[in-house]
Amino acid sequence: MTEAWRPDGEDEQQRRGASGPVKVRVPAKVNLHLGVGPLRRDGYHELNTVYHAISIHDELTARRGDTLTLTMEGEGAGELALDDSNLVIRAAHALAGYAGVLPHARLHLRKQIPLAGGLAGGSADAAAALVACDALWGTGLSRDELAGIAADLGSDVPFLIHGGTALGTGRGEAVSPVLARPTSWHWVVAIADGGLSTPAAYRELDRLRAAGAATAPLGSTDGLLAALRQRDPRVLAAALGNDLQDAALAMRPSLTATLKAGEAAGALAGIVSGSGPTCVFLAVDDADAGRIAAELEAVRVCRQARVAHGPVAGARIV
Ligand code: ATP
């Protein structure tokens, strides 16, 4: 047993950590390029992706407590289990185990990122829990140490610690920032009714590829990275791509109408976000995005259409 696990370890932890609540905001992600390579021996696919953090946020508040508890409100409340299966609880345990402290906190999640929407909401919440509990417990880990713990929790979690726009390789957990001059891109995010399972989308892609029914793999991110550097939304629009889109459309054929409606409304391009069913559309500017969102809601091709911009910061204390 380490020293931190003795009763006086808790006293020391109380002195080191924050006394008041710690509130962390964390963004959703979209993949501007999601290249899916072959299935690896460990069951993951090799990915070649460009992550992009957008301004739809979940918020996690951490307070001192005698045990570890989680409550929530917003998207998915009443549907999402709040027990040890929740990524927030898993992240808190992982950090406590790594730092040798007691996993005691009262956590409250305000969720705006839809469940199983292809926007990495669960991964975002795990990233928020790592940053919030690190401050609450005074464990003082570096962003890189937190990203190391994050990688064991899920492939997208390290990116959501960093935010911005970044290249993801391996199974997506190896993240390196894309250094581009600051440009804000304007998005419309069409949120669907219900979610899609990410593992099921990868299985469907494998099935389509085996049957020769998938579009050719995207391959390298070079074209997308070059397009980002040009800072012209029309150029970026032409470079967006997602290898999982065929699978998402096969599993949810109504998304074809959503994509068509966005383009008819004047979006520069539309793609399925990650494993779907959320679709994202690139607009020229914020006003254009607002107009496209209103039109998507008017033609009822989604549950809700939201305007967002990116890139934004990763999990941050507010
Ligand atoms: P990704 O894009 O990373 O594949 P997603 O956006 O499609 O993810 P998430 O909302 O991250 O999907 O959730 C996927 C599954 O993770 C959910 O169906 C749920 O069972 C589980 N999960 C565990 N904890 C959470 C959480 N805090 N928020 C959302 N989902 C969670």
Side-chain angles (χ1 to χ4, degrees):
M1 209 180 254
T2 64
E3 199 168 354
W5 290 95
R6 297 209 312 251
D8 61 346
E10 185 158 25
D11 291 344
E12 192 190 310
Q13 189 176 331
Q14 297 257 331
R15 275 195 298 278
R16 258 202 327 255
S19 52
V22 178
K23 191 185 277 187
V24 170
R25 250 159 72 99
V26 65
K29 68 86 199 162
V30 298
N31 302 80
L32 305 181
H33 172 113
L34 179 50
V36 180
L39 186 60
R40 308 191 316 196
R41 280 165 175 268
D42 63 3
Y44 290 98
H45 289 80
E46 192 69 26
L47 297 188
N48 209 354
T49 189
V50 178
Y51 290 116
H52 182 69
I54 59 166
S55 61
I56 293 179
H57 291 95
D58 283 355
E59 204 176 82
L60 185 77
T61 305
R63 294 183 172 82
R64 288 189 170 188
D66 300 328
T67 57
L68 181 60
T69 58
L70 174 62
T71 51
M72 77 171 285
E73 62 185 296
E75 285 281 337
E79 281 171 62
L80 187 61
L82 301 174
D83 56 14
D84 286 358
S85 67
N86 195 292
L87 279 158
V88 169
I89 299 288
R90 288 179 48 207
H93 278 299
L95 174 64
Y98 179 90
V101 300
L102 292 161
H104 289 175
R106 285 183 295 135
L107 305 173
H108 182 73
L109 179 61
R110 281 186 60 196
K111 207 159 167 55
Q112 293 199 54
I113 307 175
L115 278 195
L119 296 170
S123 302
D125 299 342
L130 292 177
V131 172
C133 291
D134 178 57
L136 186 75
W137 298 334
T139 41
L141 301 193
S142 68
R143 291 249 145 198
D144 284 346
E145 276 177 297
L146 290 178
I149 304 170
D152 290 334
L153 293 164
S155 303
D156 295 339
V157 187
F159 169 68
L160 289 152
I161 299 268
H162 293 290
T165 303
L167 202 58
T169 52
R171 56 180 165 83
E173 86 291 5
V175 173
S176 47
V178 170
L179 298 172
R181 279 184 295 167
T183 307
S184 209
W185 305 100
H186 300 276
W187 303 96
V188 179
V189 181
I191 297 169
D193 275 318
L196 277 181
S197 147
T198 305
Y202 277 99
R203 281 196 299 274
E204 178 64 13
L205 177 63
D206 290 338
R207 194 189 66 75
L208 291 171
R209 282 182 170 170
T215 43
L218 286 173
S220 141
T221 52
D222 291 354
L224 193 281
L225 296 176
L228 277 174
R229 284 192 292 272
Q230 291 193 50
R231 306 170 79 197
D232 176 344
R234 287 175 185 78
V235 175
L236 181 61
L240 298 174
N242 177 4
D243 277 342
L244 277 180
Q245 182 157 312
D246 287 338
L249 295 182
M251 293 164 72
R252 189 72 70 84
S254 63
L255 296 180
T256 305
T258 309
L259 291 173
K260 279 198 180 130
E263 284 171 26
L268 298 174
I271 52 167
V272 170
S273 176
S275 52
T278 305
C279 293
V280 291
F281 299 91
L282 185 59
V284 174
D285 55 28
D286 191 48
D288 200 36
R291 201 182 44 71
I292 294 165
E295 204 158 319
L296 283 173
E297 286 194 347
V299 296
R300 297 170 186 271
V301 289
C302 56
R303 166 161 69 92
Q304 189 190 15
R306 297 187 54 172
V307 167
H309 63 271
V312 297
R316 290 286 179 281
I317 295 172
V318 290

